[in-house]
Amino acid sequence: MADRDDVLIVGGGVVGLACGLALLEAGRQVRVLEAGTAGCGSSHGNCGTITPSHAAPLAAPGTIARVLRWMLTPDAPFRVSPRFDPALWRWMLGFAARCNRRDWLQAMQARVAILQDSRAALPVWLARHGIACEFESSGVDHVYRSRADFDAFADEADQLRALGIAVEQVDGAEYLRGEPALREGVAGAVRFPGDARLRPDRYVAGLARAFREAGGVIVEDCEVQAFEETGDGVRAQTARGVFTGRDLLLAAGAWSPTLDRSLGLRIPVQPGKGYSITYSRPALVPKRPLVLHERSVCVTVWDSGFRLGSTMEFSGYDRSLNPVRLAALERGAREYLHEPVGAVREEEWFGWRPVSVDDVPILGPVPGRRHLWLATGHGMLGVSMSVATGQLMTDLICGREPRLDPAPYAPARFA
Ligand SMILES: Cc1cc2nc3c(=O)[nH]c(=O)nc-3n(C[C@H](O)[C@H](O)[C@H](O)COP(=O)(O)OP(=O)(O)OC[C@H]3O[C@@H](n4cnc5c(N)ncnc54)[C@H](O)[C@@H]3O)c2cc1C
């Protein structure tokens, strides 16, 4: 048995590592227990956009009708694989119940607070820890080929502006004059100048390096099988033996519900599978990251490469790389871009986003437990919310005045 730590963290993704690094900065001794290697989960091949602009949750008025239409299309951007899975159906019912304007606006407020805090803190955090990950305050553009969809965004744009997000709407012809990488047929674009991007695998590698240099320990190939409170602390049973600590933070992303028996709390999170393809950088690339609206494809460009990513598929913990959905990324990109792919296809990837039933992250103490904490449910925005998540969890675990109102994120909302 290893010596007792102040904090054991289950999961070495962007969330677990950001929490670990913030806790080390606050003087805690921290050990991360990771089933694979640090950053091997959803944090690896995602699109790397930092997007306060994505404050609107998935559960929105009209989402259910759209999902039902998409059920008939195998390469649609959002898909539920129908099967017998009580946890999925419970989650779907809870999600459907939230597809109304009141819950949409409430979730948007909770999301924008943590997104904005994280976005503001990110450049300082990267500089302080010497993390080079191709971060750029680039902004992000959403490109529309449908005039009706472009016009329909006006309501969301108003809500975002009211919450402090800068939104610029650009006419299609003007947009094309400034963005030669795009093909004709753009009806308009929405620019979010406050957004940014980074290379996520480099970011997570940088977090892991900074964490270790600051004295943290990452135990890899160390799947946590169960844990329990032991009066004055916690005890975790793992593939590498038993670890003990004063506190335990479950940050296992989409896998968090697989350990919820140890928490005594049902975690309403489903794996929302997404795909990406990474290429060498084409000659003609967009000036900033794009979301190709009608196809829901995200295009991210770095000096080191070019990535297409997207799709949200609820198919449980299915590990297959679906060729239909990978092909849909390229097909979508071809409609908008002169050079939709790079010469070398470097990686095809899938990841499971930890999607909570209200699309708001689940952060804070486990109700009725003194030493158990939860940080999961970041959905499509775990990279964007990483710094503020680490700092909020550190405030809570260390008993400091929290920098954000923790109430909207509290696990107690599901107790
Ligand atoms: C296609 C795609 C595009 C995306 N684009 C963006 C984007 O542009 N911007 C953005 O902000 N977010 C984006 N996301 C979402 C983002 O990737 C996730 O929200 C984020 O990575 C979640 O981080 P995490 O640390 O919670 O989970 P993960 O990175 O999945 O980490 C969880 C870790 O826990 C480990 N683990 C699991 N079970 C156990 C166990 N029993 N014991 C020990 N360890 C365990 C896993 O091995 C894993 O390393 C995207 C996701 C996808 C799929």
Side-chain angles (χ1 to χ4, degrees), residues 11 13-15 33-35 42-43 46-49 224 379-384:
V14 71
V15 171
L33 307 173
E34 164 54 51
S42 186
S43 302
N46 64 72
C47 297
T49 55
V224 174
M380 299 167 72
L381 295 169
V383 183
S384 303

Side-chain angles (χ1 to χ4, degrees), residues 9-17 32-51 54 115 196 198 200 204 219 221-226 237-238 250-256 258-259 272-276 298 300 307-312 329 349-354 375-386:
I9 297 181
V10 183
V14 71
V15 171
L17 290 171
V32 168
L33 307 173
E34 164 54 51
T37 52
C40 69
S42 186
S43 302
H44 172 77
N46 64 72
C47 297
T49 55
I50 308 298
T51 47
H54 278 37
L115 281 165
L198 50 71
V204 192
V219 189
D221 298 319
C222 181
E223 183 184 351
V224 174
Q225 293 142 350
Q237 181 68 48
T238 81
L250 178 59
W255 291 267
S256 300
T258 64
L259 285 164
K273 192 177 185 184
Y275 295 83
S276 71
C298 180
T300 324
R307 181 168 292 165
L308 303 177
S310 176
T311 80
M312 179 69 87
L329 293 176
W349 176 85
F350 80 87
W352 289 321
R353 305 174 184 92
T376 185
H378 294 79
M380 299 167 72
L381 295 169
V383 183
S384 303
M385 294 176 175
S386 57

Side-chain angles (χ1 to χ4, degrees), residues 55-57 103-113 156 159-160 163:
D103 287 331
W104 182 68
L105 290 172
Q106 198 178 324
M108 203 189 281
Q109 274 179 16
R111 286 159 59 94
V112 89
E156 188 174 321
Q159 300 303 333
L160 290 172
L163 291 168

Side-chain angles (χ1 to χ4, degrees), residues 43-315:
S43 302
H44 172 77
N46 64 72
C47 297
T49 55
I50 308 298
T51 47
S53 63
H54 278 37
L58 279 176
T63 298
I64 295 299
R66 214 168 311 132
V67 170
L68 291 174
R69 261 198 322 276
W70 278 337
M71 293 283 275
L72 305 170
T73 317
D75 65 351
F78 191 110
R79 187 170 160 76
V80 182
S81 297
R83 63 186 195 289
F84 180 70
D85 178 347
L88 173 66
W89 289 107
R90 226 179 1 253
W91 185 95
M92 290 300 295
L93 286 175
F95 178 85
R98 289 170 172 85
C99 289
N100 62 73
R101 193 165 177 86
R102 188 180 53 93
D103 287 331
W104 182 68
L105 290 172
Q106 198 178 324
M108 203 189 281
Q109 274 179 16
R111 286 159 59 94
V112 89
I114 189 165
L115 281 165
Q116 290 280 58
D117 188 71
S118 214
R119 169 68 184 92
L122 182 61
V124 183
W125 164 262
L126 294 176
R128 188 160 76 241
H129 296 295
I131 299 175
C133 56
E134 302 188 60
F135 171 76
E136 196 178 291
S137 297
S138 53
V140 170
D141 292 349
H142 289 220
V143 181
Y144 290 76
R145 290 174 74 82
S146 150
R147 181 87 224 171
D149 284 8
F150 180 57
D151 293 340
F153 186 74
D155 176 36
E156 188 174 321
D158 288 344
Q159 300 303 333
L160 290 172
R161 284 194 188 99
L163 291 168
I165 307 280
V167 186
E168 296 166 10
Q169 276 143 304
V170 190
D171 171 71
E174 183 190 338
Y175 188 75
L176 283 170
R177 276 197 294 280
E179 185 46 280
L182 279 162
R183 302 168 81 97
E184 285 300 317
V186 172
V190 181
R191 174 161 297 161
F192 298 100
D195 287 355
R197 62 95 162 122
L198 50 71
R199 175 117 193 183
D201 46 341
R202 296 189 180 183
Y203 176 40
V204 192
L207 285 175
R209 192 232 348 110
F211 176 78
R212 288 185 172 111
E213 283 176 9
V217 177
I218 305 177
V219 189
E220 297 187 321
D221 298 319
C222 181
E223 183 184 351
V224 174
Q225 293 142 350
F227 50 82
E228 59 181 354
E229 280 193 323
T230 54
D232 66 340
V234 291
R235 185 174 180 280
Q237 181 68 48
T238 81
R240 288 177 167 252
V242 170
F243 292 85
T244 58
R246 180 181 176 279
D247 289 290
L248 182 143
L249 168 61
L250 178 59
W255 291 267
S256 300
T258 64
L259 285 164
D260 63 6
R261 202 171 298 159
S262 294
L263 290 179
L265 173 74
R266 198 178 264 163
I267 304 172
V269 162
Q270 280 290 315
K273 192 177 185 184
Y275 295 83
S276 71
I277 312 177
T278 308
Y279 309 84
S280 56
R281 195 180 145 110
L284 179 60
V285 291
K287 292 179 179 159
R288 54 185 67 77
L290 303 179
V291 175
L292 311 177
H293 172 78
E294 289 77 10
R295 299 293 166 213
S296 294
V297 172
C298 180
V299 182
T300 324
V301 186
W302 305 282
D303 286 347
S304 62
F306 177 82
R307 181 168 292 165
L308 303 177
S310 176
T311 80
M312 179 69 87
E313 184 182 321
F314 291 97
S315 50

